[in-house]
Every structure is written in C-alpha cells, then in structure tokens.
Amino acid sequence: MTVVESVLSRTPEPLRSALIKHRELLKFGIVGGTTFVVDNGVWYLLKLGVLESKPTTAKAIAIIVATIVSYILNREWSFRTRGGRERHHEAALFFVISGLAVVVNLIPLYLSRYAFHLETPFVERWIQETADFISGSIIGMLLAMVFRFWGFKKWVFPDELGERRRDNNRS
C-alpha cells in the first residue's frame, strides 16, 4: 500500500473523495512537508553556525538544497504521470521556476529583517527568531509553494505531455 493510499484509507468521506480528486495536490503537499523539514533543518544549522550573521544567505542555501530534494520527489512521485520532456529540459525549467520561487520565499524574511528591523539589537533574540520563522518559513514558504505548484503544473510537468511519460512508464 502506498503512502497516499494509506492516508486515504484512514480519511473519512467526503474528505476522501476530495483528496482522491486532488491526489496530485496531496502528493505535492507531502513533498512540500518533507522539503519544509529539509529547508528548516539546513537553514537553522547554517544560521546558528557558520552563517549566523547572514540569515538570508543561509535561507537561500537551505532553499536550494530543499529544491534539489523537491525536484527528485516531484518528478518521481507527485507529477510522475505528467511531463515528458527530455530530463535536462525539464530540470532546467524546474530550477528556473524554483529560482523565481526562492525570490518569492525570501521577500517576507528580507522585509522582516531589513524593513521592519526585527533583528537584534532592535529587538530581543527570541523576537528575531520568531519573526524569522514566521516570515521565512511560514509566509515565504506558503507564497513560494503556491507559485511552484502553478509553475510546475503549467510549465515543467504539463498534462499535455503526460501521455508520452505514461507511455514510457508502461514499457
């Protein structure tokens, strides 16, 4: 039994029907949850270590690592029946969309730190860390997630190319 089938078997109706209808979105959300952990793990490791004075740089590196994980999981699981371009073309489009999403993701953190001055010495350390988490890991990530889902479905893994990919998986 797959992860999605396991989740769906424990979900009551009518929610189960809605999730089945939006299975791709559910898988994208699971991948997003996984990459959320990767992103924040790398970010805090860097931010509390070698890049303590450069939280935006640390976040950008964390996003890049999480994006690589995201490409592999989305290509092989979330959107496995879509797409069909040459892998290098598909990967290039994925990373362009993801690169734009990095900018979207960083805007709230940048504003929090440098426009609203929610950083030490202007505020206490716990306020800075809370503001960083809310702006970088909640608001930024949600905005970037919406942008990525739209971009991946429209440009990277378009359904009209899915026939080719579904045929290749059968052989």
Side-chain angles (χ1 to χ4, degrees):
M1 180 178 277
T2 67
V3 172
V4 172
E5 289 170 346
S6 177
V7 169
L8 290 174
S9 71
R10 294 183 177 99
T11 306
E13 282 295 342
L15 180 58
R16 182 182 310 138
S17 296
L19 291 175
I20 288 171
K21 182 178 178 184
H22 302 288
R23 180 180 297 241
E24 205 170 64
L25 182 59
L26 176 63
K27 289 180 177 183
F28 183 80
I30 292 169
V31 169
T34 303
T35 57
F36 178 83
V37 171
V38 170
D39 178 355
N40 284 293
V42 171
W43 184 32
Y44 277 95
L45 188 68
L46 293 172
K47 186 173 94 151
L48 299 176
V50 297
L51 293 174
E52 185 175 357
S53 65
K54 299 181 183 263
T56 306
T57 303
K59 185 64 171 176
I61 292 168
I63 291 169
I64 290 166
V65 171
T67 300
I68 293 168
V69 172
S70 176
Y71 174 67
I72 294 165
L73 294 176
N74 276 306
R75 182 181 199 288
E76 300 303 326
W77 190 52
S78 301
F79 299 112
R80 77 170 199 272
T81 61
R82 291 174 154 266
R85 293 184 168 90
E86 296 291 324
R87 190 172 295 221
H88 66 279
H89 186 203
E90 183 178 84
L93 288 171
F94 186 93
F95 287 104
V96 165
I97 296 294
S98 294
L100 294 171
V102 168
V103 174
V104 170
N105 197 314
L106 291 175
I107 290 169
L109 175 61
Y110 183 86
L111 291 172
S112 173
R113 278 286 181 120
Y114 306 115
F116 302 133
H117 301 291
L118 294 173
E119 61 179 331
T120 59
F122 304 111
V123 297
E124 293 181 36
R125 174 79 182 226
W126 73 271
I127 293 173
Q128 171 186 291
E129 295 307 318
T130 303
D132 281 359
F133 183 77
I134 291 169
S135 62
S137 293
I138 305 294
I139 299 169
M141 194 168 283
L142 286 172
L143 292 172
M145 183 183 73
V146 169
F147 177 78
R148 280 186 181 108
F149 188 70
W150 170 80
F152 292 167
K153 283 185 75 167
K154 177 132 178 92
W155 302 104
V156 182
F157 307 109
D159 199 32
E160 59 268 11
L161 296 176
E163 188 70 37
R164 187 180 333 158
R165 181 119 187 242
R166 286 187 285 272
D167 289 344
N168 288 341
N169 284 339
R170 288 186 199 135
S171 25

